[in-house]
Amino acid sequence: MKNIYLLTLFALSFLSFSCDNDDADEQAKFAVPVIKSLTEIRADISVTAARQTQSNGKIYVAENYLFYIAQESGVHVFNNSNPASPLNIAFINLEGVHDISVKGNYLYADNFVDLLVFDISDIQNITLVRTIENSVAFSPTYPEDAEFYDYTVYPTGDEIITGFSIEMKDRPEGQDLILAGDALATFESSNASQVGTGGSYARFQINNDALYTIDAYKLNVFNISDPINAFFDKEVYMTQWFGGGEFETLFIQKDILFVGSTTGMYTVDAEDEFNPYFVSGFSHATACDPVVVYLNTAYITVRGGSTCGAIDDQINLIDVTDIANPTLLSTYLLDEPYGLGIKNNVLYVGCGANGLKIFDAVNSANLTLENTYPGNVKDIIPLDSHLIVVGDNHIKQYNYGPNFTLTLISEIDL
């Protein structure tokens, strides 16, 4: 009797487990759009006292101030006049911020589809002075683990999709499956003086009275000669770029723009600041790649894996003496390279969990690894005075030392 009882319990348990599995098989992960109205987004802009953040981001430096751009959260402002003791002094609440640029007393920031101008002449009283509505493109990042797109949730009126949540819903079949696929396909198609310095992941650059921003496939030009009356001037959407991958980063040296894309690097002549034009390109397999330039050499970190592509992780060194004909000088294989910076023939590369790598770059054909510092490092700004690196919610500042060494002077937990 006891054996029969145990067998019955086992059978019931098996049936229950099987039913649970059947239920689980009928469920799927849906990307559900998060909808907000532009009226609400614009009304939420504010400047408050300093606060901490848990959002990943990037850094920007202007004179004695360090700005931490917390993705889709806001901009944290630090007084960095003493790098050994940076002070968190203010927070600009901008849910849709992804990049900033500073010239003189004005800070330019995106807020989803708008470009904003802030007066920062009094850093304790930052004020919004201009909004250029619907002037930049925004497309939320689609979650990698989503199996289906919830086409039943969509924006109307002045609403936009600001992101996605993942929800478990019944797995679609028949016509619902076709509609989910169609909806996803539709969604997927859809340096003068007093100018600050951004990292290698910058998407904004200033050239005299022009502010450049990049969208996935075009360059936007804004006229900022009068910041309070700044306006959208034009978009540069060149046929040479078609099929050339999505634009990711923007670097400027003198009046030449270097655009990092998912398939390579483009050079753009911006001597006429309001009429930049395509010059040439250097291609590689699909990957994620910021670019920085020092003298006649461009340095590109090329990271494969996940959504970035199948190429081996590496650094490409490109001769850009003739920007119409960029040529490969050398390739250095390196695990998980992210952002990078170059100063006085010393190359600094953030390698994620693999730390900060320091290279002797005097010989462009023979990059030499000289030192490694531990930590999670995603981007770098090498200033004349010292080095700033950023990782996940963490900033470190270093003094330069002899023989490719660094001395830690401060850390900021964000």
Side-chain angles (χ1 to χ4, degrees):
M1 180 68 71
K2 183 177 181 180
N3 288 338
I4 295 174
Y5 176 72
L6 291 173
L7 182 60
T8 303
L9 282 178
F10 175 79
L12 290 172
S13 298
F14 177 80
L15 287 172
S16 175
F17 177 79
S18 299
C19 290
D20 287 345
N21 271 357
D22 289 343
D23 290 342
D25 289 343
E26 294 172 359
Q27 296 276 301
K29 292 182 178 179
F30 277 73
V32 181
V34 175
I35 307 295
K36 279 199 169 185
S37 75
L38 289 173
T39 301
E40 178 185 358
I41 290 168
R42 290 163 182 157
D44 284 344
I45 300 169
S46 62
V47 180
T48 67
R51 67 173 69 170
Q52 287 190 311
T53 179
Q54 294 301 315
S55 298
N56 289 333
K58 49 190 174 182
I59 48 179
Y60 188 94
V61 177
E63 296 186 355
N64 291 324
Y65 297 102
L66 187 155
F67 301 89
Y68 180 76
I69 308 149
Q71 301 297 284
E72 298 186 14
S73 171
V75 181
H76 300 262
V77 185
F78 292 82
N79 183 330
N80 202 39
S81 54
N82 178 9
S85 184
L87 300 175
N88 191 355
I89 58 175
F91 177 71
I92 305 173
N93 182 48
L94 284 178
E95 183 182 351
V97 69
H98 297 87
D99 218 331
I100 69 167
S101 198
V102 173
K103 181 180 179 183
N105 291 325
Y106 295 92
L107 180 149
Y108 304 86
D110 60 338
N111 188 33
F112 292 122
V113 298
D114 298 340
L115 182 78
L116 309 181
V117 185
F118 291 88
D119 184 338
I120 59 170
S121 56
D122 180 356
I123 205 69
Q124 299 293 343
N125 186 32
I126 299 171
T127 55
L128 176 64
V129 295
R130 177 74 166 151
T131 300
I132 307 173
E133 296 183 353
N134 304 309
S135 58
V136 294
F138 170 74
S139 181
T141 301
Y142 192 79
E144 293 182 29
D145 57 340
E147 299 173 79
F148 298 100
Y149 179 85
D150 188 348
Y151 65 89
T152 65
V153 180
Y154 52 88
T156 61
D158 78 334
E159 295 175 333
I160 62 170
I161 300 174
T162 61
F164 293 94
S165 63
I166 294 291
E167 296 183 18
M168 298 300 297
K169 295 177 178 286
D170 291 341
R171 187 176 294 275
E173 296 179 353
Q175 184 64 23
D176 285 341
L177 182 59
I178 295 172
L179 289 172
D182 289 346
L184 176 57
T186 300
F187 170 77
E188 289 179 333
S189 64
S190 59
N191 285 336
S193 61
Q194 297 186 330
V195 173
T197 304
S200 60
Y201 280 95
R203 297 174 65 89
F204 283 22
Q205 292 291 349
I206 291 176
N207 180 21
N208 296 322
D209 288 330
L211 167 68
Y212 307 120
T213 73
I214 53 171
D215 295 337
Y217 298 105
K218 70 180 190 295
L219 181 73
N220 301 309
V221 183
F222 293 86
N223 188 318
I224 59 170
S225 56
D226 179 3
I228 295 178
N229 294 299
F231 61 90
F232 176 79
D233 185 72
K234 64 171 62 70
E235 62 183 24
V236 181
Y237 202 168
M238 302 178 187
T239 56
Q240 295 96 326
W241 288 344
F242 289 173
E246 293 188 14
F247 298 164
E248 295 183 316
T249 63
L250 190 60
F251 185 89
I252 188 168
Q253 179 173 259
K254 296 182 179 178
D255 50 17
I256 303 299
L257 299 174
F258 296 85
V259 182
S261 83
T262 54
T263 56
M265 176 195 74
Y266 299 105
T267 59
V268 177
D269 190 316
E271 183 176 5
D272 180 350
E273 63 208 83
F274 294 110
N275 293 288
Y277 63 90
F278 171 89
V279 178
S280 64
F282 170 84
S283 298
H284 56 58
T286 302
C288 299
D289 62 323
V291 55
V292 297
V293 181
Y294 178 66
L295 299 178
N296 294 320
T297 304
Y299 302 82
I300 308 174
T301 56
V302 183
R303 191 176 76 260
S306 68
T307 59
C308 293
I311 194 171
D312 289 334
D313 292 353
Q314 58 191 250
I315 304 171
N316 287 334
L317 281 69
I318 314 298
D319 185 347
V320 292
T321 304
D322 177 4
I323 65 167
N325 185 35
T327 55
L328 180 66
L329 291 169
S330 62
T331 296
Y332 187 101
L333 297 181
L334 183 67
D335 289 340
E336 202 183 4
Y338 283 86
L340 70 169
I342 179 80
K343 177 67 69 175
N344 298 327
N345 288 315
V346 179
L347 180 68
Y348 304 89
V349 183
C351 294
N354 295 311
L356 172 65
K357 308 289 184 180
I358 304 177
F359 294 85
D360 182 345
V362 169
N363 183 352
S364 298
N366 186 28
L367 203 61
T368 306
L369 179 62
E370 297 287 351
N371 213 336
T372 299
Y373 285 83
N376 188 297
V377 181
K378 296 293 181 63
D379 204 8
I380 295 150
I381 296 181
L383 302 174
D384 290 337
S385 56
H386 65 287
L387 187 77
I388 305 178
V389 303
V390 61
D392 293 337
N393 302 312
H394 198 78
I395 296 173
K396 290 183 179 180
Q397 301 190 77
Y398 294 92
N399 276 329
Y400 302 112
N403 302 317
F404 305 95
T405 61
L406 299 170
T407 302
L408 182 68
I409 52 178
S410 68
E411 298 185 61
I412 305 172
D413 288 315
L414 296 158

